Amino acid sequence: MCGIFCYICAGENPSEGEAILQSCIGLLKNRGPNQSGQVWVGMQALFYGSVLWHQGATLCRQPVETDETILVFNGDIFQQRDDVEESDTLWLLRRIELCQNESDLCQLFGQLRGPFSVIFFRKQENKLFFARDAVGRNSLLVGKTPDANWFITSVSGNISGCTVHELPPCGLYYIDLARLNEKHPFAVYPWGEDCSEAERIFGELNIEQHIAQYEFYKMFNNTSPLVDNLFDLLSQSDDINYVCDQLLSTLRISIKERVINTTKSCKMCLPMSTICAHAKVGILFSGGIDCTILALLADDNVPTETPIELLNVAFEKVNHSSSQLAVDWNVPDRVTGKASVEELRLLRPNRKWIFVEINVLRSELGVHRKTISDLVYPLCNVLDESLGAALWFASKGVGMCNGEPYTSSSRILLLGSGADELFGGYTRHKAAFERCLRDQGVVAGSTECFENAFHALNEELNLDWNRLPSRNLARDDRVISDNGATPRTPYLQEDFIAFVRSLKASQRCYHPLGPGIGDKLILRICAYKLGLREACTLRKRALQFGSRIADRKQNAMDRSSFLDH
């Protein structure tokens, strides 16, 4: 993951730009520890880039400047490329310079595969462009200074006097530098017709057209069948088998793209240019169904001699008494993590699975409060505090393995982000479904009532999907990247998203079966088919509760006193 920055000055005083950059530069360098540089465009624009090298035979320095373009890029392009030795940044630069106009640029960025945020300047046109991918997987913030100038950055922290927002991932934004002093100098070429949504229209996708006919509630005649042999029963359906095969084949491709596109050196050995057998891929691992599927499928694409890290975080209990001699680290996610790693070892005995127990005292959490606050900013509520802290410590990867101190060497971390939003994994999805049934005074066997309930569930799924970029993804990107690792999210690959969202809500889940079965049911069937007979029935736990960082007495949406500074 890289750190990118641009300051845009309407006046003639560049000192503010240098000051703003200095406020951000520590956080930007943490994202891109391998190289950094900066370029001025007269006194109007200051570009800065820091690089975490993954793709290309050699590191590509940033900013990249030619006679036509200045580019800073943060992302992963998983497009088929003629020269696999070429950096994805240089590949993108060449494509940008082939574009004759804004329409060509919109088409280029609309067809990119992979997460990205980008800022570039077209010299001949005197226009500066910037964007996040339409799913919003990478962070990009936009800020306004006390002198009414603007800056765009991957991460900023709370800069005194500045107003900062997460850039909505609606389209390709631009500003003509000759019109900086106009009242409304910015414009956008939207990815879709509605800029209020973060959803992309995904164009041509390599997925066979097939309309699945099954609906879980009709298969069960609107009842809750016995769980015994449930997965065997469902696996007898040709339609369900087809959907599972499509989901797994698409997910395998997504994981392969995200695992193989990196260097042959780990975080520790890259500075010496040493090819090593240390772990280069890790998984943020609670032991739940989402991350356990990722771990199992990642095994297919990581060299056998290279370990895979499973990073499991636990926090000291809120209000833990100092009179207690020892902290109990067996939080729910630790228990499920240990169970699921044993299942992985049974299914993939030739792989070295490194289960890292990351134990965080409340005093240690306090020491890193400002860092976590700066990374989460401009978000500031209790939920952001809990999740931001959990992901920061997990991705830092400092813990114990088999009783010995261990520090993660992975430069890529796989996350299960998006699975709950896509497959109906949250408690609020179940609540929306059941509330609609209650409101109708449901009678057992009433197909119409179930259809209405699934319509309500589908609306809740769409709501969660559309707010995913602003609620989760950019924050998680900022927090995890601070530890010199790149978060990659296989469930948010373009083809996978398109296929899942082509399914009805009633083809993804069936909440009357209860937690640990009915939520994300089609994904659980996939896990069962992969051999994950234990993990496929584990109940969903929110990270903040599974790791025990959160206090259940707090309101998740309240402003966090921990993050205020």
Side-chain angles (χ1 to χ4, degrees):
M1 197 56 62
C2 301
I4 62 176
F5 173 94
C6 180
Y7 169 80
I8 308 163
C9 181
E12 294 293 324
N13 182 8
S15 60
E16 186 190 54
E18 295 283 2
I20 296 291
L21 175 57
Q22 287 307 310
S23 297
C24 303
I25 203 164
L27 297 173
L28 291 166
K29 282 188 173 180
N30 287 348
R31 294 176 62 90
N34 302 138
Q35 178 271 333
S36 62
Q38 66 182 67
V39 171
W40 270 100
V41 178
M43 288 189 292
Q44 282 194 299
L46 169 61
F47 287 83
Y48 173 87
S50 61
V51 178
L52 179 64
W53 173 31
H54 280 300
Q55 297 197 41
T58 57
L59 183 150
C60 176
R61 303 178 68 84
Q62 293 201 48
V64 184
E65 183 174 14
T66 68
D67 292 341
E68 301 176 26
T69 310
I70 299 173
L71 167 69
V72 283
F73 174 71
N74 168 38
D76 288 303
I77 296 176
F78 298 127
Q79 231 89 351
Q80 291 277 337
R81 304 200 291 273
D82 294 334
D83 183 2
V84 295
E85 299 292 303
E86 183 181 34
S87 160
D88 53 352
T89 304
L90 292 178
W91 179 90
L92 179 61
L93 175 69
R94 289 194 295 105
R95 290 298 185 277
I96 289 173
E97 294 189 341
L98 288 173
C99 292
Q100 299 297 310
N101 49 45
E102 284 82 359
S103 177
D104 291 347
L105 287 169
C106 289
Q107 184 175 10
L108 168 65
F109 284 96
Q111 293 177 349
L112 286 186
R113 297 177 60 85
F116 68 85
S117 56
V118 64
I119 313 168
F120 61 96
F121 177 61
R122 304 254 285 184
K123 295 180 180 180
Q124 291 181 352
E125 300 166 25
N126 202 35
K127 288 182 179 179
L128 185 141
F129 297 82
F130 54 102
R132 294 168 66 195
D133 73 80
V135 181
R137 291 165 287 191
N138 284 3
S139 173
L140 200 60
L141 308 178
V142 59
K144 195 170 187 179
T145 74
D147 290 347
N149 295 313
W150 296 87
F151 62 95
I152 308 158
T153 182
S154 300
V155 59
S156 70
N158 190 350
I159 304 173
S160 178
C162 295
T163 303
V164 179
H165 301 279
E166 289 184 343
L167 181 74
C170 298
L172 180 63
Y173 297 81
Y174 78 93
I175 181 170
D176 186 334
L177 295 190
R179 303 172 63 181
L180 272 174
N181 291 307
E182 294 185 3
K183 186 176 180 180
H184 300 293
F186 292 95
V188 61
Y189 295 102
W191 302 133
E193 293 182 3
D194 186 354
C195 257
S196 67
E197 296 184 358
E199 183 176 1
R200 182 185 207 147
I201 300 171
F202 283 106
E204 295 183 9
L205 299 171
N206 296 319
I207 294 181
E208 180 182 347
Q209 294 300 308
H210 176 93
I211 300 174
Q213 300 298 320
Y214 75 92
E215 293 185 79
F216 287 126
Y217 73 96
K218 291 181 180 178
M219 295 178 72
F220 301 137
N221 194 26
N222 305 334
T223 63
S224 301
L226 297 175
V227 173
D228 291 345
N229 302 320
L230 173 68
F231 290 108
D232 288 326
L233 172 67
L234 293 172
S235 297
Q236 294 174 15
S237 163
D238 290 340
D239 260 354
I240 289 177
N241 280 326
Y242 172 82
V243 168
C244 287
D245 289 345
Q246 287 295 307
L247 289 172
L248 289 173
S249 64
T250 309
L251 189 58
R252 283 188 171 96
I253 293 169
S254 176
I255 291 172
K256 181 177 181 180
E257 291 172 339
R258 284 152 179 78
V259 165
I260 67 172
N261 283 294
T262 189
T263 63
K264 296 181 180 180
S265 304
C266 75
K267 188 187 293 186
M268 300 178 297
C269 296
L270 185 66
M272 290 82 73
S273 302
T274 303
I275 296 175
C276 66
H278 300 134
K280 303 168 189 67
V281 175
I283 294 153
L284 299 192
F285 193 76
S286 66
I289 178 179
D290 311 335
C291 60
T292 307
I293 287 175
L294 295 183
L296 189 67
L297 297 182
D299 175 73
D300 296 336
N301 295 291
V302 174
T304 307
E305 67 277 8
T306 305
I308 294 176
E309 294 176 339
L310 306 174
L311 306 177
N312 182 277
V313 67
F315 288 82
E316 180 184 14
K317 187 178 180 181
V318 176
N319 300 322
H320 175 75
S321 173
S322 57
S323 64
Q324 294 176 258
L325 296 178
V327 177
D328 178 12
W329 296 112
N330 283 317
V331 301
D333 281 0
R334 181 62 48 81
V335 175
T336 55
K338 287 180 176 179
S340 292
V341 73
E342 289 308 312
E343 191 165 22
L344 288 171
R345 286 170 176 152
L346 286 172
L347 292 171
R348 298 289 190 273
N350 295 327
R351 170 70 58 196
K352 183 178 181 181
W353 300 100
I354 301 178
F355 185 74
V356 186
E357 299 182 39
I358 301 161
N359 301 326
V360 185
L361 295 167
R362 292 286 156 178
S363 58
E364 187 180 2
L365 181 61
V367 168
H368 296 285
R369 177 186 63 82
K370 186 178 186 306
T371 295
I372 294 167
S373 176
D374 282 341
L375 294 167
V376 167
Y377 189 83
L379 306 183
C380 59
N381 65 33
V382 169
L383 183 63
D384 299 315
E385 162 203 325
S386 299
L387 294 177
L391 291 171
W392 190 81
F393 280 101
S395 58
K396 192 175 182 64
V398 178
M400 305 290 288
C401 180
N402 298 323
E404 298 292 329
Y406 185 89
T407 299
S408 170
S409 59
S410 292
R411 302 178 72 246
I412 292 173
L413 296 178
L414 300 183
L415 284 70
S417 303
D420 288 311
E421 288 81 1
L422 287 168
F423 292 103
Y426 288 124
T427 303
R428 60 181 173 270
H429 299 149
K430 180 174 182 286
F433 179 85
E434 293 179 342
R435 183 169 56 248
C436 185
L437 288 182
R438 283 197 310 272
D439 291 347
Q440 297 175 92
V442 64
V443 177
S446 170
T447 298
E448 182 180 356
C449 287
F450 269 83
E451 288 175 349
N452 292 336
F454 274 111
H455 178 74
L457 172 59
N458 195 62
E459 289 185 343
E460 188 72 21
L461 289 171
N462 286 334
L463 177 64
D464 260 1
W465 178 252
N466 288 330
R467 64 190 177 192
L468 178 63
S470 59
R471 273 201 168 184
N472 297 40
L473 299 180
R475 176 201 63 211
D476 298 352
D477 170 75
R478 291 193 296 275
V479 168
I480 293 169
S481 299
D482 189 64
N483 288 308
T486 295
R488 289 179 173 170
T489 51
Y491 291 109
L492 295 177
Q493 189 245 33
E494 292 81 359
D495 291 352
F496 191 83
I497 293 169
F499 185 72
V500 176
R501 286 178 59 78
S502 75
L503 300 174
K504 300 176 183 177
S506 56
Q507 296 173 322
R508 304 185 219 176
C509 50
Y510 185 62
H511 290 105
L513 291 177
I517 302 290
D519 56 298
K520 300 187 282 193
L521 178 55
I522 191 65
L523 191 62
R524 295 182 185 280
I525 300 170
C526 289
Y528 186 83
K529 290 169 71 69
L530 289 171
L532 294 168
R533 302 303 166 88
E534 300 298 323
C536 73
T537 57
L538 290 175
R539 295 180 62 168
K540 160 72 182 174
R541 286 192 185 91
L543 173 60
Q544 65 269 31
F545 300 126
S547 66
R548 204 171 53 193
I549 186 174
D551 183 348
R552 288 184 179 271
K553 296 177 182 178
Q554 291 179 297
N555 185 330
M557 294 299 112
D558 284 350
R559 187 177 181 89
S560 167
S561 58
F562 175 85
L563 295 177
D564 284 336
H565 65 274

